[in-house]
Amino acid sequence: MAVKEYLSTQRSCTTCPYCGVGCGVTINKEKRQSTSVISVTGDKQHPSNFGRLCVKGSALGETLGEHGRLLRPHLHGEACDWDTAMSYVADEFARNIHEHGPNSVAFYLSGQLLTEDYYVANKLMKGFIGSANIDTNSRLCMSSAVAGYKRALGADAVPCCYEDLEEADLIVLIGSNAAWTHPILFQRMQAGKAKIVVVDPRASATSEMADLHLAINPGSDAALFNGLLNFLAQHNRLNHHYIQHHTQGFELALEAAQHWSLQQTALSCGVPAEKLLAFFRLFAETEKTLSFYSQGVNQSSSGTDKNNTIINCHLATGRIGQIGAGPFSITGQPNAMGGREVGGLANMLAAHMEFKESDIDRVRRFWDAPNMALAPGLKAVDMFHAVETGQIKAIWIMATNPAVSMPEAERVTEALRKCPLVIVSDCIADTDTARCADVLLPATGWGEKNGTVTNAERRISRQRTFIDPTGEARHDWQAICDLASRLGFREQFNFTHPADIFREHAQLSGFENNGSRAFDISLFSNIAQNEYDTLEPVQWPVNRENPQGSARLFGNGKFFTETGRANFIAVKPRTPQQQISPSYPLWLNSGRIRDQWHTMTRTGRARKLLDHSEIAEIQINPRDARKYGIDEGVLVELHSAQGKMCGRAVLNSGQKPGELFAPIHWSQTLAQESKVSALAGAEVDPISGQPEFKQVPVQLKALACKSFITLICPEPLAQNLWRWLQTHMEENLLHWYRVPCQNGYRFELALSAPLDGRQLGAQLLQKNPDIRWQQIETLNSQRWLAYSEQIELLIFSSNDWQTLPDRRSLERYLQLELLENPAQFLQAIPPGERIVCTCMQVSRPQIEKAINQGVNSIDALGDALGCGTRCGSCKPEISQLLRTKLQQNAQNQAVAAVLETEIVRSAKDLREKFDKAYSA
Ligand SMILES: Nc1nc2c(c(=O)[nH]1)N[C@H]1C(S)=C(S)[C@@H](COP(=O)(O)OP(=O)(O)OC[C@H]3O[C@@H](n4cnc5c(=O)[nH]c(N)nc54)[C@H](O)[C@@H]3O)O[C@H]1N2
Ligand SMILES: Nc1nc2c(c(=O)[nH]1)N[C@H]1C(S)=C(S)[C@@H](COP(=O)(O)OP(=O)(O)OC[C@H]3O[C@@H](n4cnc5c(=O)[nH]c(N)nc54)[C@H](O)[C@@H]3O)O[C@H]1N2
Ligand code: SF4
Ligand SMILES: [Mo]
């Protein structure tokens, strides 16, 4: 890895490329022997994280390096140079536009691009190609939040900031598992003084640490917040002055909410009326209330309405734009907000402008654009349907993996396979989407890129270069400008540095703005390159009136609607579009796990991030498990009307009966049929176009596995194994997954009939004549070692996967020298242990043992074992273990009764309650 000179001695500051928290990261370069090693730490000065990083951010250093990277452009599977690839792309784009019109081509982009990449792509498509067929994975993520804000506030502008998390007295997390998905913000909430209420159908790491958890029925959020609005009105808790002077449409919204009595709401949400009342009272009484909401609200066919029912309650109480109060939609991706600023979605123009005549004209004049798009383009789901029908003939996919993440993922994959021209820009060589590409373009990755991102609180931060590009990788904005230039628009895309693009973006934000558009960073209209390079994190708007940026918006009660008043929206709650039925009797919910990022192309490279969970785990209530004959740990299969997915059953009483949860992270490159989005349907919100990922009706059954095989092999042999897997898919192979480890891979196979592991090994190694074998039989399993000068293959086979040894520790053997007696490799292997604390490598049995020995708080466990002392992401799980163990250990019924009725805030609090109950 070539490290830039300026880093040779010191540190550099950049931004984490994962979630929307946007943590500042300090890069440290150390010389170890002759090589330089990069380590990352939290940037103490960055106002998002003040030095903290979560487990994913902490492991960023391990995701760097050449391994697995896409190093060169490819055309129809053959490596080629950039010129060859780009002239093919340009010719085909030009031909299609000429023969079939501009709407025959499309860009599908991502909230993980930098603002500068995004800006030029949007400019090229909407101003020069003349189509608005440019959409992004933010459609799957933020589009209902955007639509909700625009309807209510007249602008896509987040009113709140992170400081509010510390200032609030009540935080309501709705459809957010922030403890895992925005970990540093969750830590900031916990450091604050607010009571925490979680609204989520299932128990999560977040609800574990909450004061109150409302486990509502799937998709019933709009009923809940209509009920709240009605309660506020009935109990005289409205801010009449605010409603009268700063809003409109209140009467209709209230009329729609009046049907939602406490009893009716409790019934619809499936929550006891007392619990609901407790929440309503808290909300009514607490002035500094912050609502913090995410995908449990957005990913719904009525997501925009749900957003508005939440915003309604804030408008009705005047709690918006105030310190510690407001409706805070939290962005998921590092630059989802930047994408919104440049108009990266098909239904908006650049710099918060719309497809209305005056805006189109303004942007046309500013860009000097010859072919302005005059109408919105296709939103993601429609875009891929147009690829399927052949209406779109060329699509450029950049920094997203739609073959995994789109609803009806298999249908999307098929559509891409059939599409005449699919261009994929990625930094990783093998992804599900890259497998469908005609042209593959290597993109620079984190550490190589240079530009800006905007986090969830509107804060613009710099991502800075600290290593040279890998292979022939180029910046995404360069690839787009190259296409623009080849299409004849060299002059308007003649950017030589991201600062040039940022400057133009800033100019457009201020162009004929005069306070009419929320997004305004006109203070940077003439920013010099060195000022750009040293730009400090700042929250927009940043203009002459707000030169230091703006923490909060709308504090003055003025909004960006035509009248300047905020809109109440009358909402009639709708249930999910697909409903459970005798064929598909269970609700499938999906989302994120703690240690992985999306389709794992990057986090999957840091081995330790797979310790927490290495296979897609399906969370099932024990009652459902009994009903469907499923034991803990068995492989199961889910079917929906759209598709199929496999995973391992985890029995979890925090999951309500009738509801399952599956992670979104696994793809075909890592595991067979483990893509949860293959199950999701194409039902979308009518306003935002966001798909209904969170409520999918499915059926569940166990896979009839008769035999299990683990194979651990160095990299070259893994290729043979791949080939074997491809040809045996159809036979008795029920499921496989692989774990990338140091120097090789571990494969886990499940089969419908016993398979002789030794025979499989011999087949794989047949080209290697010098192989010697060692074998051990135990009661339930066979173990083989194939070796020559080194270990070539380790095989473990059993008819009961629980008896397989700890495979994680076995991976280390690939790095060891051969022993005098190689059979020793096969003996005395401890059983598998789940790692709870990834940073400090502390396992669940270790923690349980310590609890049994009397260690009784998260802090004390940290002192004893180190768990939870680094990034802190595992604390909710430690708390849960503590609670379960302490509950198990409790003899006293009275104590159990206290636990039933009282809210437990933390393990310490729990202990205190225990002590009180015991002494009573
Ligand atoms: N570790 C990790 N963190 C991430 C990411 C990642 O991949 N990994 N991705 C980032 C991205 S892009 C995003 S968008 C965010 C997403 O962040 P979150 O929205 O917090 O994450 P999810 O796990 O998708 O879903 C949140 C919760 O919604 C709940 N939910 C499901 N249905 C309903 C419902 O009907 N009502 C309510 N109230 N809740 C419901 C789920 O049970 C789940 O616990 O995370 C970001 N952070
Ligand atoms: N069932 C279900 N499906 C979901 C969700 C859900 O909750 N449930 N959530 C949805 C949401 S909120 C989201 S955000 C999506 C996320 O889904 P995707 O966006 O499809 O997932 P990623 O793995 O983040 O894909 C990013 C790709 O870009 C590559 N990449 C990274 N950096 C760069 C770069 O700088 N340039 C280029 N050119 N490539 C780069 C990565 O290697 C990776 O292949 O999934 C959605 N799908
Ligand atoms: S919370 Fe974690 S993933 Fe999100 S930006 Fe911070 S370090 Fe990165
Ligand atoms: Mo997202």
Side-chain angles (χ1 to χ4, degrees):
M1 198 176 347
V3 179
K4 283 256 177 213
E5 256 323 289
Y6 59 78
L7 254 182
S8 56
T9 51
Q10 80 290 50
R11 28 160 269 174
S12 153
C13 290
T14 183
T15 311
C16 173
Y18 298 128
C19 86
V21 177
C23 294
V25 172
T26 303
I27 305 300
N28 311 286
K29 205 203 85 178
E30 295 163 45
K31 269 239 172 318
R32 284 193 208 144
Q33 280 132 13
S34 59
T35 53
S36 51
V37 178
I38 285 178
S39 67
V40 302
T41 48
D43 178 354
K44 293 201 168 63
Q45 259 99 55
H46 198 286
S48 298
N49 56 318
F50 298 106
R52 279 166 291 203
L53 291 179
C54 78
V55 61
K56 298 184 299 301
S58 308
L60 270 168
E62 288 163 55
T63 65
L64 299 171
E66 207 171 88
H67 181 75
R69 286 288 299 269
L70 178 61
L71 299 174
R72 297 194 62 193
H74 285 67
L75 177 58
H76 298 131
E78 299 288 327
C80 63
D81 57 28
W82 270 93
D83 186 50
T84 309
M86 287 311 297
S87 65
Y88 181 79
V89 171
D91 288 351
E92 285 299 297
F93 257 71
R95 187 180 61 77
N96 278 306
I97 294 165
H98 178 71
E99 288 175 11
H100 308 286
N103 287 328
S104 66
V105 301
F107 288 165
Y108 184 62
L109 311 181
S110 161
Q112 293 165 71
L113 290 170
L114 303 180
T115 300
E116 292 75 5
D117 302 322
Y118 238 137
Y119 178 86
V120 289
N122 188 57
K123 177 177 176 182
L124 176 60
M125 190 51 99
K126 292 196 182 130
F128 293 77
I129 288 177
S131 166
N133 280 347
I134 169 168
D135 213 46
T136 120
N137 62 1
S138 292
R139 182 69 61 197
L140 318 178
C141 179
M142 296 315 303
S143 56
S144 288
V146 172
Y149 275 145
K150 277 168 89 167
R151 274 209 300 189
L153 316 176
D156 173 22
V158 177
C160 316
C161 65
Y162 295 167
E163 252 171 40
D164 292 330
L165 303 171
E166 284 122 9
E167 294 291 340
D169 293 319
L170 172 66
I171 299 177
V172 190
L173 290 114
I174 312 135
S176 154
N177 184 15
W180 281 6
T181 55
H182 296 93
I184 298 303
L185 296 188
F186 191 66
Q187 290 183 12
R188 288 183 67 168
M189 289 180 208
Q190 288 192 297
K193 54 189 180 338
K195 280 210 160 64
I196 292 180
V197 176
V198 170
V199 181
D200 193 316
R202 65 179 184 128
S204 65
T206 308
S207 69
E208 173 64 31
M209 307 303 264
D211 297 275
L212 179 64
H213 174 204
L214 301 178
I216 61 167
N217 286 334
S220 63
D221 301 79
L224 178 69
F225 285 91
N226 264 0
L228 174 60
L229 184 63
N230 188 34
F231 179 91
L232 293 170
Q234 284 178 340
H235 293 82
N236 205 13
R237 292 292 188 161
L238 300 172
N239 184 334
H240 293 289
H241 183 267
Y242 195 87
I243 294 172
Q244 200 185 344
H245 289 92
H246 304 291
T247 72
Q248 56 201 10
F250 175 70
E251 285 71 24
L252 286 178
L254 184 61
E255 201 181 302
Q258 260 159 357
H259 167 62
W260 296 91
S261 65
L262 184 71
Q263 296 309 328
Q264 179 58 45
T265 309
L267 196 69
S268 289
C269 297
V271 176
E274 314 82 75
K275 272 200 168 184
L276 207 57
L277 188 61
F279 166 54
F280 285 179
R281 282 195 177 138
L282 261 178
F283 193 103
E285 286 157 11
T286 316
E287 205 45 46
K288 287 187 174 182
T289 293
L290 196 75
S291 297
F292 185 100
Y293 47 99
S294 187
Q295 300 313 334
V297 174
N298 294 343
Q299 288 173 340
S300 151
S301 60
S302 56
T304 307
D305 278 355
K306 286 176 181 169
N307 271 266
N308 283 113
T309 57
I310 297 170
I311 299 172
N312 280 349
C313 293
H314 282 269
L315 294 175
T317 47
R319 295 175 194 160
I320 182 168
Q322 309 300 326
I323 293 174
F328 199 168
S329 147
I330 194 80
T331 44
Q333 296 184 87
N335 199 28
M337 193 72 83
R340 288 147 74 167
E341 293 157 13
V342 304
L345 290 161
N347 52 326
M348 38 166 89
L349 268 188
H352 278 201
M353 282 178 268
E354 313 267 338
F355 278 99
K356 57 182 187 207
E357 224 169 279
S358 54
D359 282 356
I360 296 171
D361 181 58
R362 183 175 302 117
V363 178
R364 182 206 321 274
R365 283 184 285 117
F366 180 84
W367 279 340
D368 192 14
N371 299 310
M372 271 306 286
L374 302 176
L378 296 173
K379 299 180 183 131
V381 169
D382 293 334
M383 182 179 276
F384 285 97
H385 285 169
V387 170
E388 184 180 51
T389 59
Q391 186 194 330
I392 288 176
K393 297 173 196 319
I395 183 166
W396 189 347
I397 298 166
M398 194 173 263
T400 173
N401 198 355
V404 186
S405 56
M406 279 289 293
E408 300 188 316
E410 281 310 324
R411 185 173 166 192
V412 167
T413 308
E414 213 32 60
L416 287 174
R417 282 203 195 106
K418 284 195 315 209
C419 180
L421 176 58
V422 175
I423 305 144
V424 174
S425 291
D426 206 297
C427 18
I428 299 300
D430 187 21
T431 72
D432 287 25
T433 305
R435 289 178 183 187
C436 307
D438 301 286
V439 181
L440 270 177
L441 299 174
T444 48
W446 182 74
E448 301 163 0
K449 297 187 73 128
N450 189 18
T452 54
V453 289
T454 309
N455 75 2
E457 60 164 358
R458 289 174 279 105
R459 191 180 293 282
I460 299 170
S461 286
R462 290 279 278 108
Q463 266 197 29
R464 294 188 175 91
T465 306
F466 58 86
I467 46 176
D468 285 335
T470 304
E472 292 173 25
R474 286 188 187 168
H475 304 310
D476 291 311
W477 65 266
Q478 287 175 322
I480 294 160
C481 292
D482 186 351
L483 174 63
S485 166
R486 287 169 198 264
L487 291 176
F489 310 117
R490 181 183 301 272
E491 209 182 305
Q492 296 92 333
F493 289 83
N494 195 14
F495 302 107
T496 56
H497 189 274
D500 301 340
I501 306 172
F502 185 76
R503 204 177 299 121
E504 183 177 307
H505 170 52
Q507 285 162 7
L508 178 54
S509 78
F511 185 61
E512 299 175 3
N513 186 332
N514 304 319
S516 65
R517 305 191 302 270
F519 178 66
D520 182 355
I521 54 167
S522 49
L523 199 77
F524 300 128
S525 293
N526 298 307
I527 191 169
Q529 193 176 310
N530 66 332
E531 292 168 328
Y532 177 80
D533 280 335
T534 54
L535 187 71
E536 290 291 329
V538 61
Q539 283 172 282
W540 62 257
V542 201
N543 47 22
R544 215 177 302 146
E545 294 77 48
N546 311 285
Q548 304 300 322
S550 318
R552 294 174 191 83
L553 298 177
F554 309 114
N556 58 1
K558 289 209 188 87
F559 296 87
F560 291 92
T561 54
E562 277 185 10
T563 55
R565 289 164 176 268
N567 290 317
F568 278 94
I569 306 291
V571 170
K572 185 162 183 276
R574 280 174 285 144
T575 48
Q577 278 199 23
Q578 290 195 53
Q579 285 292 320
I580 47 172
S581 65
S583 314
Y584 301 109
L586 300 162
W587 283 116
L588 176 68
N589 175 1
S590 61
R592 283 126 186 99
I593 61 169
R594 196 189 71 193
D595 291 3
Q596 292 300 339
W597 177 260
H598 294 173
T599 67
M600 290 166 68
T601 60
R602 289 175 291 162
T603 42
R605 292 153 68 87
R607 175 62 189 86
K608 72 175 185 208
L609 293 181
L610 278 155
D611 283 344
H612 190 240
S613 179
E614 63 173 43
I615 174 176
E617 292 176 339
I618 318 284
Q619 310 286 328
I620 307 171
N621 180 278
R623 242 165 65 192
D624 286 334
R626 266 198 304 281
K627 186 164 160 191
Y628 294 94
I630 285 160
D631 293 325
E632 172 84 34
V634 304
L635 289 173
V636 295
E637 196 170 74
L638 303 175
H639 285 264
S640 75
Q642 287 71 230
K644 173 184 171 193
M645 148 184 216
C646 301
R648 176 170 291 159
V650 173
L651 272 45
N652 177 350
S653 53
Q655 215 41 59
K656 282 200 289 186
E659 297 173 20
L660 311 172
F661 181 86
I664 63 167
H665 306 284
W666 275 266
S667 65
Q668 191 62 35
T669 55
L670 288 169
Q672 183 181 346
E673 291 181 320
S674 300
K675 302 197 282 202
V676 70
S677 297
L679 297 164
E683 289 75 16
V684 298
D685 180 279
I687 300 167
S688 70
Q690 180 154 358
E692 188 146 72
F693 280 125
K694 291 285 191 263
Q695 291 98 29
V696 179
V698 295
Q699 51 168 274
L700 164 74
K701 61 174 193 233
L703 280 176
C705 303
K706 292 282 187 301
S707 145
F708 299 87
I709 296 190
T710 300
L711 298 121
I712 297 172
C713 58
E715 175 95 49
L717 190 67
Q719 296 304 327
N720 290 353
L721 193 46
W722 268 123
R723 253 169 262 132
W724 184 89
L725 288 172
Q726 307 303 322
T727 48
H728 289 73
M729 255 2 151
E730 303 300 319
E731 291 176 25
N732 56 8
L733 182 62
L734 289 174
H735 188 257
W736 63 263
Y737 71 93
R738 64 167 179 158
V739 176
C741 48
Q742 195 112 46
N743 304 342
Y745 285 98
R746 168 154 62 80
F747 284 82
E748 301 283 348
L749 276 43
L751 301 119
S752 59
L755 180 84
D756 187 330
R758 165 76 197 261
Q759 247 176 32
L760 168 58
Q763 246 182 46
L764 295 172
L765 289 164
Q766 60 184 330
K767 292 216 179 90
N768 193 339
D770 304 323
I771 296 292
R772 280 169 290 164
W773 288 89
Q774 289 280 347
Q775 177 175 354
I776 283 190
E777 294 253 350
T778 65
L779 195 57
N780 300 303
S781 67
Q782 289 91 42
R783 304 169 177 189
W784 294 273
L785 167 71
Y787 64 100
S788 53
E789 298 295 292
Q790 78 230 23
I791 294 176
E792 300 286 352
L793 183 60
L794 279 153
I795 309 173
F796 298 83
S797 114
S798 170
N799 50 16
D800 174 6
W801 78 274
Q802 305 265 23
T803 65
L804 289 172
D806 175 21
R807 281 92 85 208
R808 186 169 52 91
S809 67
L810 293 176
E811 292 168 14
R812 285 180 219 134
Y813 293 166
L814 284 183
Q815 291 149 263
L816 297 182
E817 298 280 313
L818 269 184
L819 296 172
E820 216 162 276
N821 171 15
Q824 282 178 21
F825 278 120
L826 301 170
Q827 287 163 345
I829 296 151
E833 293 178 345
R834 188 188 180 94
I835 295 291
V836 173
C837 174
T838 303
C839 300
M840 306 302 284
Q841 291 284 300
V842 184
S843 72
R844 185 180 167 137
Q846 282 173 286
I847 297 173
E848 286 174 335
K849 192 170 155 206
I851 299 172
N852 285 338
Q853 287 167 348
V855 186
N856 62 8
S857 73
I858 299 177
D859 291 344
L861 283 165
D863 291 341
L865 303 170
C867 53
T869 55
R870 275 268 292 275
C871 80
S873 302
C874 60
K875 282 184 177 173
E877 260 171 295
I878 299 175
S879 154
Q880 199 193 4
L881 278 177
L882 255 171
R883 186 150 62 133
T884 316
K885 272 277 149 194
L886 292 180
Q887 269 173 346
Q888 278 170 4
N889 297 351
Q891 303 290 316
N892 194 326
Q893 283 294 317
V895 175
V898 169
L899 292 180
E900 279 295 294
T901 53
E902 285 202 34
I903 294 161
V904 178
R905 190 158 160 64
S906 63
K908 185 165 150 271
D909 182 21
L910 175 81
R911 191 70 222 168
E912 278 165 15
K913 291 201 165 97
F914 253 70
D915 292 342
K916 215 165 75 198
Y918 267 119
S919 56

